[in-house]
Amino acid sequence: MFAKFLFAAPLILIAMPAMAQDAQEGPPKRVRSVITFGDEKCPPATDPDEIVVCASGGDSPYRIPKRFRNQPAEGPAAQSWSRRMEVVEEVNRAGLPNSCSPIGTGGQSGCTRQMIRAWYQDRLEAETKRNREMAPEN
């Protein structure tokens, strides 16, 4: 019996590397990455040539970062009355007279007014520059 074992052992050892090569022909045909949330379990492989890699994504896929949780609501109640009125005036300004807008009546009068204001501002800046150049240096 021992002689049969000594004769069979080399044959088995020679065949082992060949069997290992057949089992591993190359990389797997499919690698699937899955992110699980909460108590979800990693899904099983659907094919023997598939590798499933699971990672935990935390509590929920819709998780809000901690620094943004429980923030006070910034609705109309959180704004001052003057700021609310400024917003209303900004929105409605496009249709008012002197707005320099093609929307609403009297919008064209605002364009002339804007040009006059820009001219006065340019004139004031030029005069200030001229006065600085003419002022004696200390």
Side-chain angles (χ1 to χ4, degrees):
M1 174 136 179
F2 187 69
K4 288 181 185 180
F5 178 72
L6 288 177
F7 179 71
L11 293 176
I12 292 173
L13 292 176
I14 292 173
M16 289 297 273
M19 289 172 48
Q21 288 177 355
D22 291 341
Q24 226 177 16
E25 294 175 5
K29 293 183 180 176
R30 182 174 179 201
V31 176
R32 185 169 46 148
S33 296
V34 179
I35 298 175
T36 60
F37 297 98
D39 295 333
E40 291 179 359
K41 294 183 179 178
C42 190
T46 57
D47 190 18
D49 291 334
E50 177 183 42
I51 294 178
V52 179
V53 179
C54 293
S56 176
D59 296 336
S60 169
Y62 308 108
R63 185 177 59 99
I64 298 172
K66 287 184 181 180
R67 66 176 186 231
F68 296 121
R69 295 181 197 170
N70 302 327
Q71 294 277 329
E74 293 187 22
Q79 289 184 352
S80 68
W81 179 253
S82 60
R83 177 63 189 145
R84 284 190 242 172
M85 293 315 308
E86 287 175 1
V87 169
V88 169
E89 287 177 358
E90 286 176 21
V91 170
N92 292 329
R93 184 167 290 142
L96 295 176
N98 300 325
S99 65
C100 190
S101 170
I103 302 170
T105 59
Q108 71 279 0
S109 61
C111 294
T112 306
R113 198 169 179 186
Q114 266 186 349
M115 287 188 288
I116 291 171
R117 281 187 186 159
W119 179 77
Y120 273 117
Q121 187 64 35
D122 290 344
R123 184 173 153 194
L124 182 64
E125 288 173 4
E127 188 175 325
T128 305
K129 184 178 176 183
R130 193 172 354 120
N131 287 341
R132 281 190 199 146
E133 290 173 355
M134 296 177 99
E137 293 182 20
N138 292 338

